[in-house]
Amino acid sequence: MFLNIVWLIFFVGAFIACLAQWLYLGNSGIFNDVMQSVFAMSKTAFEIAIGLTGILAFWLGIMKIGEKAGAVQMLAKLVSPLMKRLFPSIPANHPAMGSMLMNISANLLGLDNAATPLGLKAMKELQEINSEKDTASDAQILFLVLNTSGLTLIPVGIMTYRAKLGAANPADIFLPLLFATFFGTMAGVLVTSFFQKIEIKNAVFISWIAGLCMAIFGSLWYFSMLSAEQMGIASAFFGGIILFSIVIFFLILASIKKVMPFDAFVEGAKDGFSTAVMVVPYLIAILVGVAAFRASGAMDFIMNGITAAFNFFGIPADVVPSLPTAIMKPLSGSGARGMMVDTMQQYGPDSFAGRLSCIFQGTTDTTFYIIAVYFGSVAIRKARHTVFCCLAADAVGLMAAVAVAYIFFPP
């Protein structure tokens, strides 16, 4: 429903902007310019989507090896002590805990296709111990916050789009994105803990948070001490070695577990091909709408207004071109993806705006979509503080995205 409204806004707004230019500026060619832009973008969007196939097939193939080798189960086992403290209302050995752990672990590895079914399964199991069936329980709310905060270790899709659009180093947003999404997730957990009065003053929780914060702030301190050139080299090195190490770890784990890595890779690569093909109509639909809106002058009018407002309050306007991605992301994943691609096309994938739009895209998830799907699957009508906690995590994540972008990619 939301994308239908957005699409209408793009085209109706573009038509009104064209009429204004024709009536007040005498620009009779604006209608033709918009249509030519739409035709050109249709071709470009198709080429981008098809060009994603190889890169996406590779990463999903690698992810399938990790999945079959048991990497998801290993992650789940690693974080289980922390999860038990965050979800005190779930009885010991209840199957919901296992499903939640598997869902969160799959999200961390970027396995969206595996994460969603596991998440829906966890939601149904949590509903079994929910005393008020039409009202979200504390456990269900915190589980949704962890999903909508978008915490992920490997932003496969974003790196794929950056590679296709010609980024010098598609993985250079890997560490900044990880930092930003970490802060958003931590904010969501803390805000939800406040509402639910979860006891966070225990050794396990404090040691986990302290360890993670030391690693994150230590890394940020290290990078902030480097020059722009040194930071680019260090970021590329650490990002590359971490990603390559994950690939090697999955292959070694597959050998230990006697999983056939080549067969698993081919199976995952087939999913990558079908995913790339599935993206085509959505990407074309969003990008032609954005192209019409931009060519008509409507986009520039809005961006200039936001820039003027930022200048009035003394806020740097460098983030303005990336804002459409940030605004769209909590509402629509495909819409935000289109905005991210449009920003990289307009300003370049290695520009400050292009990189920040990518960080925005990976920092949060489609909050309202996830709430609707997960709660809808168990007929919950009363969300309580779910929306506030999820949006608080989104807000902190987006602010953190701007901060780390200025540290890693100063304009």
Side-chain angles (χ1 to χ4, degrees), residues 275-355:
T275 300
V277 172
M278 184 179 64
V279 163
V280 174
Y282 295 96
L283 194 60
I284 292 175
I286 290 296
L287 288 183
V288 296
V290 173
F293 202 67
R294 186 180 293 280
S296 69
M299 181 74 82
D300 291 337
F301 178 78
I302 293 174
M303 291 296 107
N304 289 338
I306 296 175
T307 301
F310 275 36
N311 290 336
F312 179 79
F313 290 104
I315 303 172
D318 302 299
V319 303
V320 172
S322 307
L323 286 181
T325 305
I327 295 169
M328 186 69 72
K329 187 57 193 284
L331 303 167
S332 167
S334 57
R337 188 186 307 118
M339 295 297 186
M340 176 189 71
V341 171
D342 178 70
T343 303
M344 285 194 285
Q345 282 192 310
Q346 292 295 319
Y347 299 92
D350 291 329
S351 65
F352 179 80
R355 284 168 166 150

Side-chain angles (χ1 to χ4, degrees), residues 146-353:
L146 291 174
N147 268 268
T148 61
S149 64
L151 184 62
T152 183
L153 297 177
I154 310 172
V156 174
I158 296 171
M159 293 190 297
T160 300
Y161 279 101
R162 287 184 54 74
K164 173 57 185 173
L165 291 171
N169 177 16
D172 61 4
I173 49 86
F174 170 70
L175 287 177
L177 197 157
L178 182 61
F179 294 149
T181 191
F182 168 80
F183 287 120
T185 301
M186 288 300 100
V189 169
L190 293 175
V191 170
T192 309
S193 298
F194 172 79
F195 272 99
Q196 299 180 2
K197 296 179 172 54
I198 297 175
E199 179 55 55
I200 58 176
K201 295 180 181 179
N202 61 73
V204 173
F205 185 86
I206 292 175
S207 60
W208 263 87
I209 299 304
L212 290 172
C213 287
M214 286 176 62
I216 294 295
F217 283 109
S219 300
L220 286 174
W221 175 82
Y222 167 75
F223 281 104
S224 66
M225 300 294 289
L226 303 178
S227 65
E229 182 179 356
Q230 291 172 327
M231 190 181 298
I233 295 172
S235 178
F237 171 74
F238 286 114
I241 196 171
I242 291 172
L243 291 173
F244 195 29
S245 297
I246 290 173
V247 173
I248 297 301
F249 172 70
F250 284 177
L251 291 173
I252 293 174
L253 189 62
S255 300
I256 294 173
K257 296 295 182 68
K258 294 184 169 49
V259 171
M260 299 300 175
F262 183 82
D263 294 341
F265 179 88
V266 170
E267 182 182 343
K270 289 178 181 178
D271 292 338
F273 179 82
S274 60
T275 300
V277 172
M278 184 179 64
V279 163
V280 174
Y282 295 96
L283 194 60
I284 292 175
I286 290 296
L287 288 183
V288 296
V290 173
F293 202 67
R294 186 180 293 280
S296 69
M299 181 74 82
D300 291 337
F301 178 78
I302 293 174
M303 291 296 107
N304 289 338
I306 296 175
T307 301
F310 275 36
N311 290 336
F312 179 79
F313 290 104
I315 303 172
D318 302 299
V319 303
V320 172
S322 307
L323 286 181
T325 305
I327 295 169
M328 186 69 72
K329 187 57 193 284
L331 303 167
S332 167
S334 57
R337 188 186 307 118
M339 295 297 186
M340 176 189 71
V341 171
D342 178 70
T343 303
M344 285 194 285
Q345 282 192 310
Q346 292 295 319
Y347 299 92
D350 291 329
S351 65
F352 179 80

